[in-house]
Amino acid sequence: MKRLAIITDIHGNAPALKAVLTELDKRRDVDHIYCLGDMIGIGPDSNEVLQILFSRNDTSIITGNHDEAVLALAKGQEYPQSHSLVREHHQWILDRMDQSFIPKLDQLPRTIIHEIEGQSILFNHYKLEKSKWNEHISKDPFSSIVEPSVENLETLFKDNREDLICFGHHHPTQYFKGKKTIYLNPGALGCNDKPAAPYAIITLSTNQMEIKLEEALYDNNEFLESYHRLDVPGREFILKVFHGNQIQ
């Protein structure tokens, strides 16, 4: 039997990440953690989040669109037109990032496929069209977000044959059982309208799979106030859209 934890979309929120990892470490029964991208962007705690993740030896990480957009700026490459409204914000993130993390981010894959206890699992940030598999982030390779439903997800991932597809990108929690595939998005760990960080626990044994949606409660007051203290670009929009105006 194997037990996995799935986290995604930390978005520079270190206290939320630490709350989840504290719960996981206390359990002592989680064999591996999969982080599904967008570690940075939106929240200001880039260095702390990346330090925590890269220091662990039980965590596999893939990149998301925010990670790759910041990388494009760091490497002097073309920046995605679709992200033009947040370019100033991404530059602010990059200007404050420890440069030692750039090559580490650059080496991360976009997808991971593992067979665990006889079951095939795809870990990705969101659907990549086959024709865009290796395209640079400036070409906007990630598919447009679909409204959460089993029908929409089966259409989106119609060419996949995995038993379980884990993804993020779209911040609401999604858990659907299709005809042959289970679709799981534990929800954005770092962006919520309440002081709670969602994640998922998957227990796998031969021909069996159990999924539990969890959330770690934490004090997010200081984190939310840091947007103003640090003059984060776009903070009013971010606090409203991604954190539900929890502070006024």
Side-chain angles (χ1 to χ4, degrees), residues 60-237:
S60 294
I61 308 170
I62 60 177
T63 57
N65 54 294
H66 282 265
D67 311 312
E68 294 189 23
V70 173
L71 269 175
L73 290 175
K75 298 169 70 176
Q77 298 173 341
E78 184 178 356
Y79 184 82
Q81 184 64 32
S82 64
H83 291 52
S84 59
L85 293 178
V86 295
R87 181 167 184 154
E88 179 188 2
H89 175 82
H90 280 163
Q91 187 64 56
W92 186 92
I93 294 291
L94 175 62
D95 290 344
R96 288 153 182 78
M97 187 185 299
D98 185 329
Q99 295 300 293
S100 67
F101 292 127
I102 300 300
K104 294 180 180 181
L105 285 169
D106 198 29
Q107 294 172 3
L108 295 176
R110 277 180 168 169
T111 61
I112 296 172
I113 299 177
H114 281 165
E115 184 163 317
I116 304 172
E117 294 294 322
Q119 300 183 70
S120 179
I121 307 176
L122 168 66
F123 304 94
N124 63 168
H125 185 62
Y126 205 62
K127 174 67 175 179
L128 283 168
E129 301 293 343
K130 283 188 176 181
S131 61
K132 299 180 179 180
W133 191 267
N134 295 311
E135 282 192 349
H136 188 261
I137 187 62
S138 61
K139 305 300 182 183
D140 292 319
F142 293 99
S143 300
S144 298
I145 289 174
V146 301
E147 287 301 311
S149 71
V150 67
E151 293 80 13
N152 286 343
L153 289 169
E154 290 204 317
T155 299
L156 184 67
F157 291 99
K158 62 181 183 299
D159 296 324
N160 292 85
R161 298 292 179 268
E162 289 81 16
D163 299 299
L164 172 64
I165 295 177
C166 298
F167 62 97
H169 191 46
H170 195 188
H171 290 180
T173 299
Q174 301 172 53
Y175 176 28
F176 298 102
K177 296 181 179 180
K179 295 177 182 177
K180 296 182 179 179
T181 301
I182 294 175
Y183 304 92
L184 173 64
N185 174 359
L189 182 151
C191 296
N192 208 330
D193 59 2
K194 59 182 179 179
Y199 64 99
I201 298 292
I202 303 172
T203 304
L204 296 162
S205 57
T206 305
N207 298 320
Q208 291 187 335
M209 183 186 308
E210 179 185 3
I211 297 175
K212 290 186 177 181
L213 300 173
E214 306 281 3
E215 62 179 20
L217 302 179
Y218 69 106
D219 184 349
N220 65 355
N221 288 325
E222 185 176 348
F223 171 74
L224 294 176
E225 290 169 355
S226 73
Y227 281 96
H228 292 297
R229 186 177 70 253
L230 299 172
D231 291 329
V232 178
R235 56 190 174 276
E236 299 294 346
F237 176 83

